[in-house]
């Protein structure tokens, strides 16, 4: 934990926000964002109270840390073997490095976080260690949290981040992860809310060769959410898996902006993004894949599948592929539709009522992503949370 | 500069790079309201057209040049361009025999013979040289069917009601920066009108030639197909090789009423600049068709091989119920060329359908982007879109980008998009070579195989041409 | 048919070749004269497919030593397409699919490239269609395959027939058939073998690369060579193939050990 060191970062962040102002429609990355909501978010005072939501018991063997932006999450916690806190000197050296490498230093969500975060949880992971669960609780106002993980060579980590909030508030979160060679990192983000709060989450991940990063995000129920996983394979030869599910209802706007860059050869990406939009909601997906000249023999596949569940919902999806290497396989696909009639009919013909058949299919559609969450997610009943959102 | 020697033709892949020495009526460089008025006066236009131009010009002044496309070029100095240049022959000639032989010879050399004896048998041609149309073939024969095919200037004089009704009805004069510029200063182009129930008896074609080094070409094409009418139209373009860049900012509007069909094909071969990226045309074009009527159909087919920079998105607004939009595109870039091209399919009406097939080939140090939008509006119940965007990369210094935007507000509409990237594999090349097929020919066979779905959409006469053009463009880019 | 005075078509001398810096061929010697049918047998990895690819000029294979003379001139001086035009034909073990390229057009361009080298008149689209109809009968192939893309969606047997059809059209001097029998049922094998037999003349020669004896029931070889560890270990008549069928390849290991190679 370091708060004194953050003073400079905060100062820079505030100055940057001042300079940048709010994003505008003229900026391609923000063209579809509901800027009124963004403005409301930016105006929120920093939260000062500590949230007090009841948490389900953590799964056995899982190390749970609770981050509320204020109290020390490590207070009274004994870290298991293989996990240690970065020293101030180390932190100074690495903080922001991955953000830089992923090209998101200086972006608005990052500066917002810089300006607001009062602490950083910075851990080093060696070998195979306990699964980690980070629970972020919100309270009225803006909560800003920042996490940095160094997963060392050949180390293996399962991380589940749970973000939840049920009051009118906002959460700004920035995560930086560096994966050493042959490191394995299974990462879940379960972010569910009840339609009021807003979320800006930026996850920057650097992968060394032969590392494996499997990320699964499940986002549901925010007034305004923007989840941005940004991955760079620094020397290629790594494996990245991105699975995303966003379920929007009422007048919610849920956006997922992913970016994967291969800075070396023989990298692999397998990406699936699903959006289910009901009510008057708006689902946005933007998936950038960059394959520069050195990234020969990259193999990348991206699929964006969208279900429109209501006459007044809308979906915007925008894959972006930029390729400068000739020996690559890069496929992407996108579909937008409602539930498939023949699937519905098949279930109905087996005696299942139309509404039940639809619910069954929707569960299936969600489960396809949810099943990739780390095991610790089970305790949170992710499928039920998402389905509750859908039935509202 | 004199006309080319044989040696030039052999050593230069671009064989249309010659300049015709001809006296021209040119206005001075620069752009202002006076220039807009001057162009309108030279063309003796009715008041509504001058108004149209002035409105567009005033709007243009308030706009900024777009910078969102994945292309880069030095700032264009709009005051350093000639906005009107015409070969000196006062009136458009009644008969081709009276056209300056130098002009006829120019088009002969381009493979577009205009004279009675030599002209193509089943294609009517409108030949546009710099700012004006110099001749249109088969006009009388077409007139027998009620088909109007003439230069835009003639149409303004002879069919002002049609022009007033349809001009700017698909692409408003303030649509975008380049469309506004074109609306202010356009000089000529083609006009096609197919009346109710008529199937146009021959292919219509306009051939655009930029000759002058400092002249911008701002042509305007308007095609209207009334209820149940159909037409197939093709445009071709070439320009001499200059080491400066010329601006080409065209606007093409298509209107299809109930049950009408318009098929619009382009073989674009403007001068692309040399291998270092010096010279070449800036091709900033706005093309849009409106399927206004029920069951109408608009189909764009383009083979884009030329220009230094291309910025072009032939689009369809599918308004009429059950109307159909299609976009078939091959875009090939080599050396330092940049192309940002694609389409917009805007589904407004119910059960509208669209198909997009895009094949991008990037070689050399070029950059080739597909940018598309498929939009399903709230009323587009039962609408369908299928898109396929494939890129082929040749060499490791060319860029292929794909930006397919999709937006839907209608649950009962279905959108499906697929994209892939491929290269010519060593094994495929070896297989062809081991059958005696030379390296370059093997490559061009595979490239044209890659493009086959698009070439199949071209009128017969031009499919083979397109094939050859591609092979020519790729020469020396592989290996 | 063995005639000692027949023209020496292919003269392979101490040929060494590598793929990705891995030596595969380690000194192959082989002479092929007009009228002869040679079978090259051996286990997987013995180098027999590499031999065929090197002869056809596949870019992934690097010749590190030795020479091959084709009708007196240096084969390695020639690009793959030049070799094909001069009459070297490779029937692929795995024929490549080329989407979008019409099979008929491909065959026509290939046949004309060879014909023009032979001093024959090139065939236009119409004449070629007649010409190819004739050749289709050699492999009993359905003309519908001409309309499809090269090998795209063809079954294993159809691909092999397409190979032999190409052989018929290109009229090779030396035909190298790499595992042409693999993946074929007995009917397809007979058809393919029948095609090869029909195309064999006293002026040309055939090199059959195969794993199994069964192809040699259909095509009678004049010579059988057994390859192992990148060299020809033993050469004999057709009896050698029968012997192999009975005893398997185990003796090969012993012989290699005896020679100090393995």
């Amino acid at each position: 934990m370091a708060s004194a060191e953050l003073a400079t970062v905060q100062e820079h962040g505030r100055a940057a926000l001042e300079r940048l102002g709010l994003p505008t429609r003229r900026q391609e990355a923000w063209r579809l964002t509901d800027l009124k909501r963004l403005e409301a978010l930016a105006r929120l005072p920093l939260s000062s109270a500590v949230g007090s939501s009841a948490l389900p018991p953590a799964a056995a063997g899982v190390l749970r840390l609770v981050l509320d932006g204020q109290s020390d999450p490590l207070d009274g916690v004994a870290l298991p073997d293989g996990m240690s806190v970065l020293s101030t000197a180390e932190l100074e050296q690495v903080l922001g490095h991955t953000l830089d490498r992923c090209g998101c230093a200086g972006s608005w969500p990052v500066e917002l976080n810089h300006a607001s975060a009062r602490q950083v949880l910075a851990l080093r992971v060696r070998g195979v260690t306990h699964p980690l669960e980070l629970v972020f609780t919100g309270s009225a106002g803006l909560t800003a949290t920042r996490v940095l993980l160094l997963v060392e060579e050949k180390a293996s980590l399962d991380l589940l981040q749970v973000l939840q909030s049920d009051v009118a508030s906002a959460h700004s979160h920035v995560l930086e992860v560096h994966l050493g060679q042959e490191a394995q990192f299974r990462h879940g983000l379960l972010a569910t809310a009840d339609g009021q709060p807003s979320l800006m989450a930026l996850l920057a991940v650097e992968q060394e060769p032969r590392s494996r990063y499997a990320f699964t995000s499940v986002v549901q129920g925010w007034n305004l959410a923007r989840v941005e996983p940004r991955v760079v394979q620094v020397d290629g030869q790594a494996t990245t898996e991105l699975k995303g599910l966003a379920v929007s209802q009422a007048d919610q706007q849920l956006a997922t902006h992913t970016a994967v860059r291969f800075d070396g050869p023989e990298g692999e990406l397998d990406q699936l993004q699903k959006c289910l939009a009901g009510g008057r909601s708006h689902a946005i997906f933007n998936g950038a894949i960059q394959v520069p000249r050195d990234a020969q023999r990259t193999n990348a596949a991206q699929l964006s599948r969208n279900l429109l569940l209501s006459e007044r919902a809308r979906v915007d999806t925008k894959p972006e592929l930029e390729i400068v290497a000739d020996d690559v396989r890069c496929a992407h696909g996108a579909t937008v539709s409602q539930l498939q009639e023949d699937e519905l009919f098949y279930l109905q013909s087996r005696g299942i009522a139309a509404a039940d058949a639809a619910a069954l299919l929707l569960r299936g559609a969600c489960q396809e992503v949810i099943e990739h969450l780390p095991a610790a997610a089970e305790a949170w009943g992710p499928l039920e949370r998402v389905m509750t959102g859908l039935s509202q | 500069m004199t006309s080319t020697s044989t040696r030039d033709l052999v050593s230069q892949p671009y064989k249309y790079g010659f300049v015709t020495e001809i006296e021209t009526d040119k206005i001075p460089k620069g752009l202002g309201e006076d220039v807009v008025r001057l162009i309108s006066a030279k063309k003796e236009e009715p008041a509504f057209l001058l108004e149209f131009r002035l409105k567009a010009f005033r709007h243009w002044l308030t706009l900024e040049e777009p910078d969102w496309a994945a292309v880069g070029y030095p700032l264009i100095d709009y005051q350093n361009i000639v906005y009107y240049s015409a070969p000196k022959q006062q009136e458009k000639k009644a008969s081709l025999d009276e056209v300056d032989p130098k002009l006829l010879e120019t088009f002969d050399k381009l493979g577009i013979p205009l004279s009675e004896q030599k002209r193509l048998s089943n294609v009517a041609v409108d030949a546009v040289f710099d700012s004006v149309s110099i001749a249109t073939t088969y006009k009388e024969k077409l007139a027998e069917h009620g088909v109007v095919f003439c230069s835009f200037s003639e149409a303004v004089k002879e069919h002002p009601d049609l022009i007033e009704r349809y001009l700017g009805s698909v692409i408003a004069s303030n649509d975008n920066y380049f469309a506004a510029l074109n609306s202010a200063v356009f000089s000529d182009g083609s006009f096609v009108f197919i009346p109710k129930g008529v199937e146009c008896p021959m292919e219509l074609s306009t051939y655009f030639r930029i000759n002058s080094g400092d002249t911008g070409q701002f042509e305007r094409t308007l095609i209207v197909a009334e209820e149940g009418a159909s037409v197939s139209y093709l445009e071709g373009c070439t320009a001499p090789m200059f080491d400066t860049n010329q601006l080409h900012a065209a606007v093409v509007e298509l209107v299809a009423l109930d049950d009408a069909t318009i098929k619009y094909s382009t073989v674009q071969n403007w001068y692309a600049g040399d291998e270092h990226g010096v010279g070449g045309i800036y091709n900033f074009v706005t093309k849009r068709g409106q399927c206004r009527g029920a069951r109408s159909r608009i189909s764009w087919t383009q083979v884009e091989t030329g220009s230094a920079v291309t910025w072009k998105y032939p689009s369809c607004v599918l308004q009429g119920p059950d109307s159909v939009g299609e976009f078939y595109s091959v875009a090939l870039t080599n050396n330092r060329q940049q192309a940002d091209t694609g389409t917009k399919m805007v589904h407004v009406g119910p059960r509208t359908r669209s198909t997009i097939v895009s094949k991008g080939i990037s070689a050399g140090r070029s950059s080739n982007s597909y940018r598309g939008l498929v939009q399903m509006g709230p009323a587009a119940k039962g609408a369908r879109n299928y898109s396929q965007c494939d890129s082929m990369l040749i060499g490791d210094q060319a860029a292929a980008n794909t930006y397919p935007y999709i937006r839907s507000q209608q649950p009962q509409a279905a959108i499906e998009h697929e994209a892939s990237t491929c290269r010519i594999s060593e094994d495929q090349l070896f297989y062809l070579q081991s059958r005696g097929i030379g390296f370059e020919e093997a490559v061009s066979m595979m490239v044209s195989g890659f493009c086959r779905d698009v070439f199949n959409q071209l009128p017969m006469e031009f499919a083979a041409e397109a094939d050859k053009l591609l092979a020519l463009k790729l020469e020396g880019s592989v290996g | 048919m063995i005639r000692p005075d027949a023209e020496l078509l292919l003269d392979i001398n101490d040929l060494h070749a590598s793929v990705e810096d891995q030596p595969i061929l380690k000194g192959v010697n082989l002479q092929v004269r007009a009228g002869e049918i040679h079978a090259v047998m051996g286990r997987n990895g013995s180098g027999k497919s590499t031999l065929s690819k090197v002869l056809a000029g596949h870019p992934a294979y690097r010749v590190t030593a030795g020479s091959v003379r084709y009708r007196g001139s240096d084969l390695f001086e020639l690009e793959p397409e030049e070799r094909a035009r001069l009459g070297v034909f490779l029937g692929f073990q795995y024929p490549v699919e080329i989407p979008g390229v019409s099979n008929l057009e491909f065959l026509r361009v290939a046949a004309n490239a060879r014909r023009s080298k032979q001093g024959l008149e090139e065939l236009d689209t119409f004449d070629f269609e007649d010409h190819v109809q004739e050749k289709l009968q050699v492999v009993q192939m359905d003309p519908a395959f001409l309309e499809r893309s090269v090998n795209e969606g063809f079954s294993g047997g159809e691909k092999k027939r397409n190979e032999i059809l190409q052989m018929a059209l290109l009229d090779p001097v030396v035909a190298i058939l790499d595992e042409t029998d693999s993946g074929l049922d007995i009917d397809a094998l007979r058809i393919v073998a029948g095609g090869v037999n029909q195309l064999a003349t006293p002026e040309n020669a055939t090199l059959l690369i195969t794993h199994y004896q069964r192809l040699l029931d259909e095509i009678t070889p004049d010579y059988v060579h057994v390859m192992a560890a990148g060299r020809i270990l033993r050469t004999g008549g057709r009896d050698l193939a029968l012997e192999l069928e009975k005893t398997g390849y185990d003796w090969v290991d012993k012989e290699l050990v005896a020679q100090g190679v393995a």
Side-chain angles (χ1 to χ4, degrees):
Chain A
M1 235 12 65
S3 25
E5 294 76 19
L6 280 184
T8 358
V9 175
Q10 263 180 18
E11 221 170 275
H12 282 152
R14 282 178 193 148
L17 279 189
E18 196 73 24
R19 195 179 60 244
L20 291 170
L22 273 181
T24 69
R25 242 165 242 299
R26 295 181 62 86
Q27 290 161 270
E28 183 60 31
W30 297 90
R31 197 166 52 88
L32 300 167
T33 308
D34 186 333
L35 295 173
K36 283 221 173 72
R37 295 183 199 187
L38 196 69
E39 196 182 341
L41 178 154
R43 284 214 183 125
L44 279 175
L46 279 186
S47 108
S48 51
V50 171
S52 61
S53 36
L55 308 178
V62 172
L63 173 68
R64 174 182 287 173
L65 302 177
V66 178
L67 284 83
D68 57 20
Q70 314 213 32
S71 34
D72 183 350
L74 293 174
D75 198 18
V77 174
L79 286 175
D81 283 354
M83 228 180 258
S84 57
V85 176
L86 254 60
S87 73
T88 307
E90 286 174 315
L91 185 59
E92 253 175 39
Q93 208 179 353
V94 297
L95 192 69
H97 181 271
T98 303
L99 288 175
D100 246 346
R101 188 72 204 250
C102 295
C104 38
S107 77
W108 193 83
V110 167
E111 296 300 358
L112 174 75
N113 187 273
H114 283 178
S116 327
R118 295 174 200 160
Q119 47 179 226
V120 180
L121 173 64
L123 299 175
R124 179 193 303 282
V125 177
R126 286 203 175 93
V128 179
T129 183
H130 285 261
L132 181 62
E133 183 179 274
L134 300 177
V135 181
F136 301 80
T137 58
S139 54
L142 175 68
T143 304
T145 51
R146 188 157 187 198
V147 175
L148 187 147
L149 298 172
L150 296 182
V151 184
E152 303 249 297
E153 192 174 326
K154 294 187 178 158
S156 167
L157 176 70
D158 267 26
L159 166 70
L160 175 70
Q161 290 184 277
V162 181
L163 281 138
Q164 57 167 13
S165 189
D166 50 9
V167 284
S169 63
H171 202 126
S172 156
H173 177 64
V174 167
L175 170 75
E176 284 185 84
V177 181
H178 183 273
L179 297 183
Q181 296 202 2
E182 294 176 56
Q184 305 263 340
F185 182 35
R186 192 169 147 102
H187 179 199
L189 174 73
L190 177 59
T192 59
D194 73 346
Q196 299 296 316
S198 300
L199 170 66
M200 295 274 122
L202 192 138
L203 318 157
V205 179
E206 269 180 289
Q207 289 188 261
E208 298 283 344
R210 294 177 303 287
S211 64
R212 179 184 192 89
Y213 176 50
F215 176 61
T216 305
S217 65
V218 175
V219 182
Q220 176 262 325
W222 303 81
N223 176 44
L224 173 74
R226 186 181 173 99
V227 174
E228 301 186 51
R230 300 190 174 264
V231 183
V232 171
Q233 295 193 359
V234 296
D235 236 333
Q237 299 171 72
T239 304
T240 308
E241 247 180 65
L242 302 178
K243 312 268 182 205
L245 171 68
V247 177
S248 57
Q249 275 300 103
D251 65 344
Q252 297 159 9
Q253 186 181 68
L254 304 188
T256 309
H257 295 254
T258 69
V260 180
R261 195 175 77 228
F262 298 88
D263 280 353
E266 289 155 18
E268 295 204 11
L269 167 70
D270 179 12
Q271 181 174 19
L272 171 66
Q273 174 68 29
K274 289 193 162 192
C275 296
L276 278 61
R280 287 159 289 130
S281 70
H282 186 185
I284 299 167
F285 169 63
N286 181 356
I289 298 176
Q290 288 180 307
V291 185
R293 206 176 146 195
D294 294 333
Q296 291 292 1
R297 295 176 300 286
T298 295
N299 190 351
Q302 181 193 73
L303 188 58
S304 153
R305 303 192 68 118
N306 304 276
L307 284 176
L308 268 178
L309 304 174
S310 124
E311 294 277 339
R312 297 168 72 192
R314 62 189 174 119
V315 163
D316 279 276
T317 181
K318 194 179 89 181
E320 290 182 20
L321 273 75
E322 301 185 336
I323 302 169
V324 191
D326 56 345
D327 188 6
V328 297
R329 287 160 57 126
C330 222
H332 71 113
T335 60
V336 185
S337 65
Q338 55 185 358
L339 284 173
Q340 293 300 307
E341 252 170 43
D342 45 351
E343 291 176 9
L344 273 173
F345 175 72
Y346 182 74
L347 293 180
Q348 285 177 272
S349 75
R350 295 294 175 266
I352 300 168
D356 293 345
L360 209 58
L361 289 176
L362 290 176
R363 282 180 84 90
C366 295
Q367 187 62 21
E368 220 186 318
V369 171
I370 287 175
E371 67 187 14
H372 294 280
L373 283 170
E378 200 54 48
W380 297 86
L383 186 58
E384 285 62 39
R385 279 170 186 257
V386 165
M387 290 305 289
T388 315
L390 270 176
S391 58
Q392 270 165 10
Chain B
M1 213 177 194
T2 57
S3 66
T4 47
S5 66
T6 336
R7 197 193 57 83
D8 286 341
L9 282 174
V10 173
S11 63
Q12 285 292 345
Y14 193 71
K15 58 175 178 176
Y16 306 111
F18 63 89
V19 179
T20 306
E21 294 280 335
I22 194 156
E23 247 191 293
T24 55
D25 168 17
K26 240 188 213 184
I27 65 172
K29 284 178 178 176
L31 181 56
E33 215 169 285
D34 52 329
V35 171
V36 176
R37 285 177 189 279
L38 181 61
I39 292 170
S40 189
K42 273 189 175 291
K43 307 187 84 71
E44 299 162 1
E45 287 174 351
F48 81 86
L49 205 48
L50 176 61
E51 268 319 298
F52 177 85
R53 288 177 183 277
L54 289 173
K55 194 174 145 229
F57 179 70
R58 286 167 195 153
H59 186 76
W60 179 75
L61 289 174
T62 69
L63 297 176
E64 275 175 46
E65 198 169 322
D67 61 359
W68 43 260
V71 296
Y73 51 89
L75 268 186
I76 296 173
D77 179 359
Y78 289 91
Q79 296 306 333
N80 196 29
I81 294 173
V82 173
Y83 288 86
Y84 185 87
S85 163
K88 263 197 184 143
Q89 46 167 23
Q90 286 308 305
E91 286 290 304
K92 185 149 175 181
K93 304 300 175 201
S95 151
L96 278 165
D97 304 336
E98 297 168 50
V99 173
D100 188 327
K102 264 190 185 163
L103 289 174
L104 293 180
E105 193 188 310
T106 301
F107 282 91
D108 264 358
K109 260 165 113 174
L110 296 170
I112 315 290
L114 298 172
S115 61
E116 300 281 340
Q117 306 81 3
K118 289 189 281 182
R119 65 195 185 183
L120 302 167
S121 66
N122 197 35
V123 183
V125 178
D126 184 24
V128 177
F129 190 89
D130 284 341
S131 300
V132 296
S133 162
I134 56 156
T136 311
T137 61
Y138 291 115
K139 258 169 76 173
E140 302 73 22
K141 189 178 165 197
L142 289 167
E144 285 167 25
H145 297 262
V147 172
V148 180
F149 178 43
C150 62
S151 73
F152 204 91
S153 319
E154 269 175 285
V156 168
K157 294 209 166 80
E158 287 163 32
H159 309 277
D161 47 326
L162 287 175
I163 298 294
E164 190 166 7
R165 183 169 351 146
Y166 289 107
L167 179 71
S169 72
V170 181
I171 301 170
S173 62
N174 60 3
D175 187 85
N176 67 65
Y177 188 82
F178 297 113
L181 177 63
N182 173 288
S183 299
V185 302
F186 72 88
S187 40
D188 215 335
S190 300
F191 174 69
V192 176
F193 178 78
I194 318 287
K196 210 167 174 170
V198 173
E199 190 179 322
C200 186
M202 50 173 46
E203 295 277 341
L204 305 185
S205 169
T206 300
Y207 197 89
F208 294 100
R209 175 71 178 169
I210 293 179
N211 189 59
S212 157
D214 52 4
T215 302
Q217 194 174 54
F218 305 93
E219 87 266 5
R220 187 104 197 171
T221 301
L222 174 58
I223 300 179
V224 179
E226 284 196 326
E227 291 85 349
S230 71
V231 61
S232 169
Y233 176 92
L234 183 123
E235 63 171 3
C237 1
T238 58
M241 302 190 294
F242 293 113
D243 54 11
T244 53
N245 301 100
Q246 291 86 49
L247 177 62
H248 170 253
V251 169
V252 175
E253 293 179 279
L254 313 182
V255 179
L257 303 185
D258 287 359
D259 300 293
T261 298
I262 301 175
K263 186 175 166 59
Y264 192 107
S265 312
T266 305
V267 177
Q268 188 264 104
N269 188 21
W270 294 120
Y271 178 53
D274 67 10
E275 66 269 37
H276 306 295
V278 176
I281 302 287
Y282 293 156
N283 189 35
F284 303 149
V285 173
T286 307
K287 290 182 167 174
R288 195 175 306 151
Q290 196 173 35
C291 284
R292 217 169 268 187
R295 298 167 303 278
S296 55
R297 181 186 203 104
I298 288 179
S299 175
W300 298 101
T301 304
Q302 61 172 21
V303 178
E304 300 282 318
T305 63
S307 297
V309 182
T310 297
W311 178 100
K312 173 180 176 192
Y313 316 90
S315 303
C316 297
V317 180
L318 303 167
Q319 219 157 33
D322 301 287
S323 59
V324 176
E326 293 171 318
F327 175 74
Y328 299 97
S329 169
V330 165
L332 181 145
T333 54
N334 197 355
N335 298 321
R336 302 274 182 164
Q337 277 178 281
Q338 308 174 62
D340 195 299
T341 183
T343 184
K344 287 194 265 188
M345 290 291 172
V346 181
H347 292 251
V348 180
R351 298 174 307 280
T352 46
R353 281 169 292 145
S354 64
T355 304
I356 298 172
V357 178
S358 161
K359 306 278 182 178
I361 302 145
S362 341
R365 290 165 172 274
S366 69
S367 158
N368 198 327
S369 304
Y370 170 82
R371 191 181 302 274
L373 169 71
V374 174
Q375 184 171 342
M376 297 291 180
K381 246 183 200 167
R384 298 225 166 308
N385 159 266
Y386 173 73
S387 310
Q388 188 191 337
C389 300
D390 298 326
S391 313
M392 181 182 262
L393 287 126
I394 298 176
D396 65 357
Q397 299 193 65
N401 306 321
T402 314
Y403 309 101
Y405 301 14
I406 294 172
R407 156 170 285 204
S408 179
Q409 294 174 268
Q410 172 47 252
Q412 291 182 47
I415 303 172
E416 210 178 317
H417 171 94
E418 282 182 82
S420 73
T421 300
C422 68
R423 70 196 291 242
I424 295 175
S425 83
E426 196 176 60
D427 281 335
Q428 288 174 324
L429 265 181
F430 176 64
Y431 189 70
L432 293 177
Q433 283 180 279
S434 75
R435 296 298 176 258
I437 298 166
F439 185 79
E440 300 242 327
E441 187 168 13
V443 169
S444 90
M445 263 177 111
M446 290 207 288
V447 169
S448 70
F450 175 72
C451 300
R452 191 190 250 199
D453 294 347
V454 174
F455 287 165
N456 283 346
Q457 300 295 328
L458 282 174
M460 270 269 277
E461 294 87 333
F462 300 100
E465 279 303 309
D467 230 8
K468 274 189 226 151
L469 186 59
L470 241 54
L472 205 62
K473 282 278 164 181
L474 276 175
E475 238 164 63
S477 70
V478 280
Chain C
M1 185 200 320
I2 304 176
R3 283 177 296 136
D5 59 335
E7 184 191 359
L8 180 59
L9 298 177
L10 204 56
D11 187 4
I12 305 175
N13 262 302
D14 192 31
L15 180 61
H16 288 67
S18 305
V19 61
E20 286 176 355
D21 291 327
Q22 184 76 33
I24 308 283
L25 298 186
K26 299 167 188 167
V28 175
N29 292 293
L30 181 64
Q31 275 81 42
V32 178
R33 289 180 189 274
E36 296 173 351
I37 295 178
H38 292 243
V40 177
M41 302 184 73
R43 278 199 291 219
N44 287 336
S46 59
K48 54 193 196 305
S49 275
T50 297
L51 176 63
S52 71
K53 296 221 170 72
V54 167
L55 292 177
H58 194 290
Y61 297 80
R62 207 160 48 84
V63 174
T64 50
S67 69
V68 175
R69 302 198 80 78
Y70 170 66
R71 307 185 91 170
S73 46
D74 183 354
L75 188 67
F76 299 139
E77 287 288 296
L78 304 169
E79 290 297 314
E81 61 267 33
E82 275 303 310
R83 300 181 199 191
R85 288 172 196 166
L86 290 169
V88 177
F89 178 85
L90 171 64
F92 283 57
Q93 181 178 4
Y94 303 110
V96 179
E97 298 192 7
I98 308 180
V101 174
S102 130
N103 200 26
L104 184 65
E105 177 67 7
F106 157 68
L107 295 171
R108 191 173 71 86
V109 173
N112 277 337
R114 169 84 173 119
R115 290 177 71 90
S116 99
K117 202 81 189 179
Q118 288 173 299
L120 298 171
E121 188 192 354
E122 293 192 28
L123 300 173
D124 66 21
T125 325
F126 301 106
D127 289 342
F128 183 74
E129 282 194 40
D130 296 341
H131 182 62
V132 82
Q133 287 299 338
E134 229 174 85
K135 304 288 181 187
L136 277 177
Q137 285 155 24
V138 175
V139 284
Q140 301 174 30
M141 198 160 109
D142 183 343
F145 286 103
L146 297 174
E147 303 304 323
R148 297 173 44 181
S149 293
V150 178
N151 294 325
E152 196 185 30
F154 286 26
S155 72
E158 287 153 6
K159 280 182 181 166
K160 294 297 168 72
R161 284 195 221 185
N162 203 25
E163 293 294 289
I164 305 302
L165 173 64
Q166 290 166 41
M167 178 173 158
L169 285 164
L170 293 180
D171 185 21
V173 177
V174 174
I176 306 151
L177 302 177
D178 186 7
E179 308 256 0
T180 293
D181 50 335
S182 70
L184 295 187
D185 62 37
I186 191 69
D187 292 329
L189 182 75
R190 288 214 170 106
I191 291 167
V192 165
V196 174
N197 284 328
Q198 281 180 59
L199 297 171
T201 70
E203 280 73 48
N204 64 24
T206 309
L207 201 59
L208 299 169
I209 309 248
T210 182
H211 193 72
Y212 302 107
Q213 140 75 18
R214 67 172 193 165
L215 179 66
L216 307 183
D217 289 339
E218 309 292 333
I219 306 169
T220 312
D222 298 304
Y223 296 98
V224 173
H225 311 276
V226 178
M227 267 190 90
R231 292 187 303 146
I232 289 175
L233 200 62
R234 198 192 283 184
T235 294
R238 101 157 276 241
D239 299 345
L240 180 55
L242 294 171
E243 185 190 326
L244 270 174
E245 176 84 348
K246 262 189 241 131
T247 60
Y249 285 101
D250 285 349
W251 60 270
V252 169
D253 295 332
K254 288 178 200 147
E255 198 153 328
L256 286 176
V257 172
Q259 293 185 9
V261 179

